[in-house]
Structures are given as C-alpha cells and as structure tokens.
Amino acid sequence: MDLPPCHKRCPRRRLLWWLLSGLAVLSVASFLVTGGHEELLSHSLPFFLASRERSANDPILPSSDAFLLLPPPDTCTPRPPFLLVLVTSAPSHTLQRQAVRETWGGVRWAAGYPVQTFFALGLPREPSQQAALQREAEQHGDIVQGRFTDTYANLTLKTLALMGWATTYCTGATFIIKADDDVFLNLPALAQHLGTLTNARGTYLGRIHWRVRPNRDPHSRHYVPASLYLPTIFPPYCSGTAYILSGDTAAALLGVAHHVPLVPVEDAFVGLCAHQAGITPQHEAHMAGSAHFPPDPCCYREVLYSVHGVIPSKMLDMWHSTGLCGTWQRTLGLLRCKTLAWLAAL
Ligand SMILES: *[C@@H]1O[C@H](CO)[C@@H](O)[C@H](O)[C@H]1NC(C)=O
C-alpha cells in the first residue's frame, strides 16, 4: 500500500473531485425534483465542498453551516475534557442514546479525569423526525448533527464530521474516543490506561484488523470498487466499534484526508488516513472489537475497555449490576472473559 503525497496532478484527488462533481450534479437534480432549500443544503457534502478553496494540505474542517444541531457554545470550556467520547448514532436510535446517557455516557469524571460524551448523527431520511431530534438536542445538549444523509454508506462522512467538530469546537481534548451506540465503554479503566501513557501524541488505539481485503461485491454494504481503491488489502486499522485518537492524531488525519480515497468503510478509511499520515495503529486487547462477549458485569465493568453489540436493556443491566468481579475472576481477568466469549460463540 503506497499513497504518495499528491502535488499538482494527483489521480486520486481527481477521482475524488469527479465523484464529488457527480454528487453535486445529482444534488441539483434531486433539488429540482424535490424542491426546498433544506434539501439542497443537506445534499451539499459541506465538509468537502467548503475545502475547495483551501490548499491540499489544509485539514478538512467543517464549514460553518456543516452542522444543523450543535451542543451549546460553552461546551468544552473552560476546560476541555481529557476524554471526549463521540458516539456515532442514527437519528432513529433514541433508545440507544438514552441508554448510553443513563449509563457510562452520563458520567463527567472517570478515574479522576474529566470526560464528556456526545452523539454524532446525520440528517434523518424522514424529515419529520427532525423535530424530535431538535427537542432531544435542546434537552440534553449532546447532539452534533452534520448535514449529510444518515445512511450506512455515509458513515465515513460522519467520522469526518465528528473529528472536524472535535478539532474545531472542542479543541484541547487529550483523547477522542469514537464509539458506536451499541458499545459499552468502561471509561474508568480507559481513562486510567490512557492516563499512564507517557506520550499521548500520535495515539491511534483499538482492536486492530489486519490484512483486510476490500469487499468487491457490488451488493455488499461494504463494497469498495477497485476504481476507488485498487490495492488488494487495507493497511491495518482499528475496529470502528470503538477506537481512540489523541487530539493531534485527529488533526493529522483530517490533514491528510484529501489524499485518501473516500472509501465508505469508515474504520478502513481512518486506517488509510493514519497510514498516509505515518501514524501506526496500536493494538489494545482489552477492546473487544467486533467479537461478541456475553453480558458479564465483571468483564464489562472491570476487565474490558469496550464491548460492542450491547442492546439498551443489557447496557442498563450491566450498569446497575453490583458485586462485579470476585477474587478469582479478577485474577483470571482477560483470559476468563475471552473464554466466555469463545464458549458463547460455539
Ligand atoms: C450521503 O449524504 C449525501 C448528502 O446528504 C447524500 O446526497 C447521499 O445520497 C448520501 N449517500 C448515501 C450513499 O447515502
């Protein structure tokens, strides 16, 4: 895998521009068909269009109209959090967001470090859902909504949006955690672990996927056409279920995002950006990635840092359970949890 920095005539950038021009034409067409100012804005991919006048090495930062809903302006001030958690959620996932707020996402301190959790969303496909989102945002002040349609294929845009928001509106956070809304995060253990790192700079940490091949099946939702990304493997990347970037890493990734094909597989895209920026992912065995761990309070609350695939009721169960690890359970730690996961998969 080799992505040389682009100068004047970079084919990948050209390709991206062709794609974006195509999207722009489609946007105008759909505007003409559907009408409405909101529609046009929602189809304008502002994260990219706004960067047109910039030089290629400037980071992709969101333009001022890139967001529809934002947390209150005094968020992250005067002191930015040590851990900024950005949970990717879909507009319809009200229950998932509520479960996160009522559990690990509701805390403001973890292991003595300030933490803060927000949700990153796109625009609902059903415009009538927007009013409910607006009320939710007013009530909780924790919603970052980018102006792009919230679809699976647009998850890469969501990641660019949340990194852009973090870098612009919540500058100074030492670490940014991106997590899905079905992930149970063990913030105290994570904060403690991150607090022991002697050098936070360049952190890109998670469960690593090695030597993943791009999916060439046009019917798959992970489809990556060879015209977009030709090599037969992706560089190693952290599972998108939950990964951690230091603040400077997020800025560095945005700085190179122009040179990276906009593959719709969000975590692979982040890996490509990291590769381009010369940042190496670090493996963290305590993050479950996409492996399934059966609900076990000791594993979820003490041993592991992140577990994915947790439905709202289980999240509440785990959060409210008491008497977490017994002595021998703590001693066996990761080994026991991995054995439970292995048994559950049989
Ligand atoms: C992504 O969002 C843009 C902007 O809203 C929209 O035009 C496009 O249809 C979306 N793409 C997919 C594949 O959903």
Side-chain angles (χ1 to χ4, degrees), residues 23 42-43 45 147-149 151 153-154 157:
L23 270 176
S42 77
H43 286 85
L45 297 185
R147 284 190 202 264
F148 51 84
T149 313
T151 58
N154 268 344
L157 293 184

Side-chain angles (χ1 to χ4, degrees), residues 127-203:
S128 59
Q129 288 176 4
Q130 184 60 24
L133 282 179
Q134 185 142 4
R135 279 194 300 276
E136 188 182 329
E138 277 161 19
Q139 188 182 349
H140 299 285
D142 60 2
I143 291 192
V144 177
Q145 184 183 37
R147 284 190 202 264
F148 51 84
T149 313
D150 198 304
T151 58
Y152 193 82
N154 268 344
L155 275 183
T156 299
L157 293 184
K158 193 177 281 186
T159 295
L160 283 169
L162 67 84
M163 292 199 295
W165 177 78
T167 331
T168 324
Y169 292 86
C170 196
T171 38
T174 315
F175 293 102
I176 299 162
I177 304 184
K178 182 261 162 187
D180 289 342
D181 64 2
D182 63 346
V183 164
F184 191 99
L185 280 187
N186 178 355
L187 287 181
L190 260 172
Q192 190 153 19
H193 174 67
L194 295 173
T196 62
L197 299 181
T198 43
N199 187 3
R201 292 186 67 78
T203 299

Side-chain angles (χ1 to χ4, degrees), residues 293-341:
F293 281 78
D296 175 273
C298 171
C299 295
Y300 279 47
R301 297 269 301 280
E302 289 202 35
V303 177
L304 300 169
Y305 296 169
S306 73
V307 190
H308 111 115
V310 186
I311 59 172
S313 60
K314 286 277 171 294
M315 218 175 251
L316 290 157
D317 282 355
M318 290 298 104
W319 185 252
H320 293 296
S321 56
T322 49
L324 307 174
C325 295
T327 314
W328 67 271
Q329 292 176 321
R330 189 170 292 117
T331 313
L332 289 175
L334 200 53
L335 180 65
R336 171 178 167 272
C337 297
K338 289 205 158 183
T339 309
L340 287 178

Side-chain angles (χ1 to χ4, degrees), residues 1-77:
M1 235 302 303
D2 183 31
L3 287 175
C6 304
H7 298 294
K8 269 216 174 99
R9 296 171 179 277
C10 172
R12 283 175 203 279
R13 258 183 79 209
R14 277 228 196 128
L15 180 63
L16 187 60
W17 280 120
W18 276 111
L19 279 172
L20 288 173
S21 313
L23 270 176
V25 170
L26 284 175
S27 310
V28 172
S30 86
F31 174 62
L32 291 177
V33 174
T34 57
H37 183 57
E38 202 53 49
E39 285 294 324
L40 181 63
L41 279 178
S42 77
H43 286 85
S44 64
L45 297 185
F47 306 104
F48 291 95
L49 294 188
S51 58
R52 183 158 206 161
E53 305 83 49
R54 299 170 206 262
S55 98
N57 290 316
D58 283 347
I60 294 185
L61 289 177
S63 63
S64 53
D65 68 348
F67 300 103
L68 200 56
L69 296 174
L70 281 171
D74 59 351
T75 304
C76 293
T77 52

